Amino acid sequence: MHSYTAFGLRISSDLQLPELAQDLAAATLAGAAVPEISIAEGSHHDWPAIPALSPHSTPTLAMAAADWRLELEGVGWFRAWDGTRLSWERWDDSVSNRDVRTFLVTSGIGALLIQRGALVLQGTTLVREGKAVLLLGFPASGKSTLAWCLLQQGWQLLSSEMSVVDAQGLVWPGVQQLKLWHDSAVALDLDWQQLPLVRRGLKRYALGPADLPVAADPTPLAFIYGLGRSKRANHKSEKEKPKEGLITTVEDASSSSEQELFRAWARKSEREALLKLRNHAYQPRFYRAMEQEASLFLQASQLLKRVAVNELIAPDGITTMRSALEAVDLFNPEALFREEKPLAAMEDEA
Amino acid sequence: MSGIDKGYWYLASYPKSGNTWCRVFITELQRLAAESEAQELNLNRDIETGAIASSRHWLDDQLGVNSCDLSFAELDPLRGRAGESAWLFAEGERFHKVHDAFKSPDSRGRAVVSTAGCRGVVYILRHPEDVVVSLSHFFSWPMDRCVDYLLDPTAALVPGERQGGNQVRQHMGRWDQHVRSWADQSELPVLVIRYEDMLSKGAETFMALATFLDLPAEPELVEQALANTSIEKLKKLEEQVGGFAEKPEGCERFFRSGRTGEGAEQLSIEQRKRLAKGLAEVMERFHYEGSTSD
């Protein structure tokens, strides 16, 4: 068995999970000395039928109040229940441990945290000077690329992909891994050939706690930024060369000075900010299906009394973004406010 | 009654074949039929006929995982299942744009879109020579590259496997493969319409469209909706909103000429012959003439 601490919980696992911190001396939410979450291989044939399946279930997700099951064809079966147990089974022998843990430490642990009533937001949290900044964003919104650039400026990674914020406004160390697409790795001058793949067959690389500066302590959240993409960048990504398989890279674009700057604006109305957090809960469908949506709203409302939500549009192009970032102080969002909300910004509310 | 009860439809096409025009028309027809406020159509506010079937956000929600962690070979077979739940589609948003071919080489023989609860598909096709010209403007690509694209059995939209994106990879294949994948599938009722007929036989073609989609199909309404969404009107509306949101960077305007026959004027004989040779069977089937010069 392997032991880890993440999201303020002690976790025991029969699979190695190098994405999580092994520091058993770290603080936990309940001060627990025994594992609060146990992860073990099982057989989905042994799982009992769910008596009252949530209508929010889907063909891959079977969910009820404290039971969550994922059947991912070609990868495996996963079950999280009672906020304490996580079981997994490979689809077949071709599925590697890395394949399994990719989904264990994201959807699996995310489901458990939701069952435990945690506020889990879809975003990556970084720490500097004892304060945390949460970058909210859907997958492929550029969180990891921006986070990697911030790490080069002295920030530390606290939690990636999903972040747990407690009632005191502390973000807890979580999964500490950045996943970078090949094109990002190239644009960031990383020696991608030396980087481990997120999974075999993907051109996406995983940088774990051994490769990155990470923070080990729960940290007060200072600001939340919703990451948006400019309309321009968004549409550029929709073009692909037919054979080379690579779109015109974001570096190619000529940019006006306005497009070379980070831009931010505040979510002034509480309703808008709340909607933002609701939509960026980690897998909102899990919340609905496991009857935790009321708790989500309550906790998100409480959080908004402590922390402001801003929107952040990064310049197009990784090189441009990286250099523009040098002039950015994420603890001073007002300095990034432009006169008005940029028209080109993509609203991502569902 | 919710949109769910009424089922949903796909508007499928190879890119730049008239899909957006259809969506604008549907929106306008519904607006006229509802006798809502007499405001003019706003292209960037009102064209919400439904999510594109390749939306990553939508798929992630359905699958319960980050689809960036799945390979194309894993994702494509799952995509069709992602829509089996009846509660998938938001109310009122029942017409979903699709640029994928019906199946992909990775989808293990399954449709890449959900067919459960789907009432049918309108497949819109356009003369491939004109598609080339329109693609060239849209993507800011040279004509030759667009010809290659229509003839490429691996052609896909968004993104390479080396990059993420708001949409997942949409395999299209060769233009003729794309057409056949939708026109010849037997899982969904299909209405095939030609862009050229939308232009030259508008009333008749759009009446058929409205009837198929179970929309109000009174001739007066259809004609009014058609008049309100003519290419000239759409160009004017695009100017009013300062550029259609679906227009890519570098593309001067989304609604450009809308004409037919531009390909024959602007492509070289060699380019036209390549298309005619590569796509002959389907072009002939849908009465598209290619270059016959030797």
Side-chain angles (χ1 to χ4, degrees):
Chain A
M1 274 293 169
H2 308 276
S3 299
Y4 304 96
T5 307
F7 304 106
L9 300 166
R10 290 205 192 286
I11 298 171
S12 72
S13 170
D14 60 353
L15 263 192
Q16 267 197 318
L17 303 173
E19 302 84 355
L20 304 182
Q22 276 187 289
D23 181 6
L24 294 181
T28 58
L29 261 174
V34 292
E36 292 152 305
I37 289 181
S38 66
I39 301 175
E41 189 171 11
S43 167
H44 74 285
H45 296 295
D46 297 336
W47 298 345
I50 297 180
L53 195 66
S54 164
H56 298 292
S57 299
T58 71
T60 53
L61 290 166
M63 297 182 281
D67 206 341
W68 170 93
R69 297 166 194 200
L70 169 68
E71 179 183 306
L72 200 53
E73 184 180 343
V75 178
W77 294 267
F78 300 85
R79 181 189 179 207
W81 73 103
D82 294 341
T84 58
R85 307 280 302 277
L86 188 48
S87 183
W88 58 272
E89 182 184 359
R90 289 175 223 277
W91 193 265
D92 58 35
D93 289 343
S94 72
V95 176
S96 69
N97 288 354
R98 181 178 282 278
D99 293 330
V100 172
R101 71 175 206 253
T102 296
F103 301 98
L104 270 183
V105 301
T106 51
S107 300
I109 289 185
L112 273 181
L113 291 165
I114 292 167
Q115 289 171 0
R116 296 178 71 91
L119 175 61
V120 194
L121 295 172
Q122 187 160 44
T124 293
T125 304
L126 297 129
V127 170
R128 190 172 182 172
E129 298 160 13
K131 293 183 287 185
V133 164
L134 168 55
L135 306 172
L136 279 184
F138 296 129
S141 60
K143 297 187 296 293
S144 290
T145 304
L146 177 57
W148 192 90
C149 293
L150 287 165
L151 296 183
Q152 311 313 302
Q153 296 187 0
W155 291 74
Q156 292 175 304
L157 180 64
L158 187 62
S159 193
S160 56
E161 233 173 306
M162 58 182 172
S163 295
V164 165
V165 194
D166 72 12
Q168 282 69 49
L170 295 174
V171 183
W172 286 76
V175 176
Q176 297 184 321
Q177 173 181 250
L178 294 183
K179 296 172 183 168
L180 294 172
W181 291 95
H182 178 89
D183 287 357
S184 293
V186 169
L188 294 170
D189 301 321
L190 295 175
D191 186 1
W192 56 269
Q193 286 169 316
Q194 301 303 315
L195 296 177
L197 295 168
V198 170
R199 295 181 58 215
R200 196 176 57 221
L202 299 184
K203 290 217 167 90
R204 225 167 151 231
Y205 309 105
L207 290 88
D211 315 307
L212 302 167
V214 294
D217 298 317
T219 308
L221 184 57
F223 290 101
I224 297 174
Y225 286 96
L227 280 194
R229 304 179 109 181
S230 70
K231 171 175 173 280
R232 186 165 171 274
N234 200 46
H235 279 290
K236 285 186 75 61
S237 73
E238 294 181 13
K239 299 191 283 183
E240 187 188 6
K241 287 183 183 177
K243 291 207 173 131
E244 296 89 327
L246 178 62
I247 66 156
T248 313
T249 67
V250 276
E251 316 314 322
D252 295 343
S254 59
S255 317
S256 70
S257 58
E258 180 65 15
Q259 285 160 337
E260 289 170 358
L261 297 172
F262 274 84
R263 290 162 290 157
W265 72 97
R267 287 271 170 198
K268 285 183 182 146
S269 96
E270 192 180 328
R271 188 181 164 279
E272 269 188 14
L274 187 58
L275 193 65
K276 181 81 189 179
L277 293 189
R278 195 278 307 261
N279 288 344
H280 285 78
Y282 183 74
Q283 296 284 5
R285 181 175 293 276
F286 294 5
Y287 273 95
R288 287 197 294 277
M290 296 195 283
E291 299 171 14
Q292 293 287 345
E293 200 168 34
S295 158
L296 165 66
F297 268 104
L298 191 65
Q299 293 183 81
S301 303
Q302 293 297 323
L303 180 60
L304 289 174
K305 290 179 181 149
R306 295 173 181 272
V307 184
V309 177
N310 298 294
E311 297 294 331
L312 186 69
I313 302 284
D316 297 343
I318 291 169
T319 308
T320 311
M321 184 269 283
R322 199 173 166 184
S323 106
L325 195 58
E326 287 168 15
V328 169
D329 176 5
L330 290 179
F331 293 136
N332 183 17
E334 286 84 358
L336 302 172
F337 290 171
R338 306 294 165 212
E339 282 187 7
E340 59 185 35
K341 175 174 159 179
L343 287 174
M346 292 293 288
E347 291 291 343
D348 56 7
E349 277 74 15
Chain B
M1 187 194 262
S2 73
I4 293 159
D5 299 324
K6 296 184 214 164
Y8 61 93
W9 283 263
Y10 292 116
L11 301 173
S13 70
Y14 199 88
K16 305 312 293 172
S17 299
N19 201 310
T20 301
W21 185 14
C22 275
R23 288 161 58 225
V24 176
F25 169 83
I26 289 166
T27 303
E28 181 63 0
L29 182 62
Q30 289 178 312
R31 190 183 72 86
L32 291 172
E35 294 178 2
S36 55
E37 66 273 32
Q39 278 181 1
E40 219 176 27
L41 186 71
N42 181 319
L43 285 178
N44 288 343
R45 190 192 60 210
D46 299 334
I47 312 304
E48 288 297 335
T49 53
I52 190 163
S54 51
S55 160
R56 184 184 295 285
H57 183 50
W58 180 77
L59 284 166
D60 288 0
D61 171 62
Q62 289 297 306
L63 298 175
V65 300
N66 177 353
S67 57
C68 298
D69 290 337
L70 296 169
S71 66
F72 296 151
E74 289 168 332
L75 182 58
D76 278 2
L78 293 174
R79 284 184 55 194
R81 290 190 68 198
E84 283 174 16
S85 318
W87 43 87
L88 246 182
F89 297 100
E91 280 188 34
E93 297 184 358
R94 302 183 295 127
F95 305 96
H96 299 273
K97 179 166 85 169
V98 187
H99 286 321
D100 298 85
F102 189 63
K103 295 175 181 176
S104 90
D106 287 322
S107 69
R108 296 186 205 154
R110 304 175 197 170
V112 296
V113 293
S114 164
T115 52
C118 179
R119 294 187 58 186
V121 55
V122 175
Y123 185 78
I124 308 142
L125 79 162
R126 183 180 188 184
H127 197 305
E129 292 175 354
D130 292 341
V131 173
V132 164
V133 174
S134 191
L135 267 184
S136 170
H137 284 276
F138 188 73
F139 283 166
S140 309
W141 285 353
M143 297 287 187
D144 234 12
R145 184 172 165 191
C146 294
V147 171
D148 288 344
Y149 194 60
L150 265 73
L151 294 170
D152 182 356
T154 68
L157 282 176
V158 190
E161 54 188 349
R162 298 186 281 190
Q163 193 174 51
N166 293 344
Q167 292 179 47
V168 299
R169 188 273 309 255
Q170 299 150 72
H171 169 83
M172 298 187 304
R174 275 198 331 253
W175 176 86
D176 57 328
Q177 292 172 325
H178 192 276
V179 175
R180 277 204 299 252
S181 81
W182 284 99
D184 296 343
Q185 56 78 31
S186 54
E187 295 177 49
L188 297 172
V190 60
L191 172 72
V192 179
I193 58 177
R194 300 186 336 149
Y195 181 83
E196 293 72 16
D197 296 333
M198 289 158 66
L199 274 177
S200 66
K201 298 186 277 184
E204 182 186 328
T205 308
F206 281 94
M207 270 298 284
L209 176 86
T211 306
F212 182 79
L213 294 177
D214 206 12
L215 289 167
E218 289 93 43
E220 303 76 28
L221 275 181
V222 169
E223 278 172 31
Q224 186 61 52
L226 197 48
N228 291 356
T229 56
S230 68
I231 186 70
E232 291 311 317
K233 277 267 189 185
L234 293 179
K235 282 160 81 170
K236 196 174 139 209
L237 289 170
E238 185 175 11
E239 276 169 25
Q240 281 173 11
V241 295
F244 185 34
E246 296 180 23
K247 174 180 80 70
E249 180 66 21
C251 169
E252 196 180 328
R253 58 191 314 156
F254 187 92
F255 298 106
R256 200 178 46 84
S257 86
R259 280 199 304 122
T260 58
E262 283 191 322
E265 292 163 12
Q266 296 181 28
L267 297 184
S268 67
I269 293 289
E270 188 271 337
Q271 287 166 336
R272 294 185 63 207
K273 281 165 77 173
R274 281 174 61 212
L275 287 172
K277 187 177 171 203
L279 311 173
E281 196 183 318
V282 170
M283 284 178 68
E284 192 177 333
R285 175 175 162 188
F286 290 98
H287 314 296
Y288 288 131
E289 283 183 18
S291 173
T292 51
S293 315
D294 291 324

